[in-house]
């Protein structure tokens, strides 16, 4: 895993955006895996800026989002479909029919999950997956002890995730759905590249456990230690508990030109 420590979320997000943009320029029909939550918002703003000011072209790009709440329709204020439409898709030249978010209203959830996996495979697999991390180490909505072999499926959120995400529901935990559809950890590990973003002191514990702790399903993000191409973009606050932070800075600063892609 490559650890990239930047001064703040803005700089970290811009570095991550350069990796996404490089892929999209090299492969205009790239398949992107996308995430929601507050963390990727600055990344999406930077991609929108690159689209407006530098002509970054999303017309052939295909996307698959990680997850969706069960029971929220696409137009619900807190659905991840609506989040993506408002914060990214409506502001770039992507074709809406090329964007995919699990259907939280599916009547047959297992069938919808299997179809989602098939759609990813039919698209040729995910080239680059964007990830955030929950304070309990979840990726997508793969809560602690999720199987590392899991595929897209229904999951139950932990009480901590319900509490963490209540801020999006007016602070009212009772409004947060307890179930979701999420890509599995196996699905995420199949992406050819994973880039994870984590900013702020409340992510420091999870970041340290992900990077330097044992690989264990109690800390789902730790599986990225096994991914051949994973980059973690963090700010100084999220880097606080890393034992080898100075080493990661030294590696990044001394990266040879041919390796410098962020
Ligand atoms: C949600 C999402 C995750 C996200 C996490 C962190 O639970 N399902 O994909 O990484 O929250 O959210 P935030 O970035 O707001 O801290």
């Amino acid at each position: 895993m490559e650890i990239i420590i930047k001064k703040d979320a803005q700089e970290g997000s811009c570095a991550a955006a350069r990796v996404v943009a490089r892929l999209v320029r090299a492969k205009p029909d790239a398949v992107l895996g996308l995430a929601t939550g507050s963390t990727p918002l600055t990344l999406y703003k930077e991609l929108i800026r690159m689209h407006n000011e530098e002509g970054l072209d999303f017309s052939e790009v295909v996307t698959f989002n990680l997850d969706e709440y069960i029971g929220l329709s696409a137009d619900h204020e807190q659905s991840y479909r609506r989040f993506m439409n408002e914060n990214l898709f409506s502001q770039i030249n992507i074709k809406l029919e090329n964007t995919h978010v699990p259907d939280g209203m599916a009547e047959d959830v297992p069938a919808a999950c299997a179809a989602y996996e098939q759609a990813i495979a039919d698209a040729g697999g995910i080239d680059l997956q964007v990830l955030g991390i929950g304070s309990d180490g979840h990726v997508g909505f793969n809560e602690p002890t999720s199987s590392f072999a899991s595929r897209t499926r229904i999951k139950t959120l932990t009480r901590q995730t319900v509490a963490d995400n209540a801020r999006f529901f007016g602070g009212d935990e009772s409004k947060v759905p307890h179930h979701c559809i999420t890509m599995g950890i196996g699905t995420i590990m199949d992406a050819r590249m994973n880039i994870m973003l984590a900013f702020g002191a409340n992510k420091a514990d999870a970041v340290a456990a992900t990077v330097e702790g044992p690989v264990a399903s109690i800390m789902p993000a730790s599986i990225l230690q096994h991914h051949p191409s994973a980059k973690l973009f963090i700010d100084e606050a999220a880097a606080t508990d890393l034992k080898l932070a100075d080493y990661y800075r030294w590696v990044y600063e001394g990266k040879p030109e041919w390796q410098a892609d962020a």
Side-chain angles (χ1 to χ4, degrees):
M1 206 184 311
E2 184 182 4
I3 318 302
I4 297 155
I5 305 171
K6 293 284 184 180
K7 187 178 67 161
D8 53 26
Q10 180 63 29
E11 282 194 11
S13 302
C14 287
R18 287 196 289 276
V19 174
V20 177
R22 175 176 293 227
L23 169 70
V24 170
R25 288 198 180 101
K27 187 179 179 191
D29 59 351
V31 180
L32 303 180
L34 298 176
T36 52
S38 46
T39 305
L41 281 174
T42 35
L43 165 68
Y44 296 155
K45 284 205 176 87
E46 178 61 8
L47 291 176
I48 293 164
R49 189 199 65 74
M50 288 171 152
H51 168 67
N52 289 331
E53 295 176 15
E54 297 168 13
L56 187 62
D57 180 16
F58 292 89
S59 60
E60 299 306 321
V61 167
V62 174
T63 67
F64 288 89
N65 261 77
L66 283 167
D67 47 15
E68 180 60 283
Y69 291 109
I70 288 193
L72 298 196
S73 60
D75 60 355
H76 186 282
E77 266 203 332
Q78 292 310 329
S79 79
Y80 285 165
R81 163 50 81 182
R82 181 152 165 187
F83 176 101
M84 292 309 302
N85 287 355
E86 286 181 356
N87 292 298
L88 184 64
F89 300 153
S90 63
Q91 301 188 59
I92 56 175
N93 66 332
I94 198 162
K95 295 186 186 96
L96 216 50
E97 66 266 28
N98 284 351
T99 70
H100 305 83
V101 180
D103 179 4
M105 299 297 280
E107 273 183 27
D108 184 342
V109 174
C113 293
Y116 203 71
E117 285 283 333
Q118 191 58 51
I120 293 172
D122 291 347
I126 292 171
D127 292 303
L128 182 155
Q129 175 68 54
V130 176
L131 295 170
I133 182 170
S135 60
D136 61 1
H138 72 232
V139 283
F141 268 136
N142 292 285
E143 296 287 25
T145 70
S146 287
S147 162
F148 284 158
S150 52
R151 311 302 302 188
T152 303
R153 69 210 184 292
I154 189 169
K155 282 293 285 182
T156 303
L157 305 185
T158 61
R159 288 177 198 269
Q160 184 177 342
T161 299
V162 171
D164 283 352
N165 289 359
R167 69 190 192 281
F168 296 111
F169 292 79
D172 184 351
E173 284 187 28
S174 71
K175 293 207 172 115
V176 184
H178 290 185
H179 295 101
C180 63
I181 295 175
T182 181
M183 275 185 205
I185 295 184
T187 322
I188 292 167
M189 288 295 283
D190 281 351
R192 288 183 268 280
M193 185 192 289
N194 267 289
I195 63 172
M196 174 177 276
L197 287 73
F199 305 121
N202 66 325
K203 299 288 170 73
D205 284 356
V207 163
T210 295
V211 177
E212 296 174 342
V215 175
S217 65
I218 193 76
M219 182 52 58
S222 65
I223 191 64
L224 290 178
Q225 293 179 33
H226 282 275
H227 196 280
S229 179
K231 293 178 192 290
L232 176 54
F233 294 88
I234 54 177
D235 62 358
E236 291 290 348
T240 326
D241 295 345
L242 288 172
K243 291 193 194 79
L244 298 184
D246 281 344
Y247 173 60
Y248 309 137
R249 288 193 190 92
W250 192 57
V251 170
Y252 186 67
E253 281 156 17
K255 256 174 110 167
E257 187 66 22
W258 56 267
Q259 252 193 351
D261 57 357

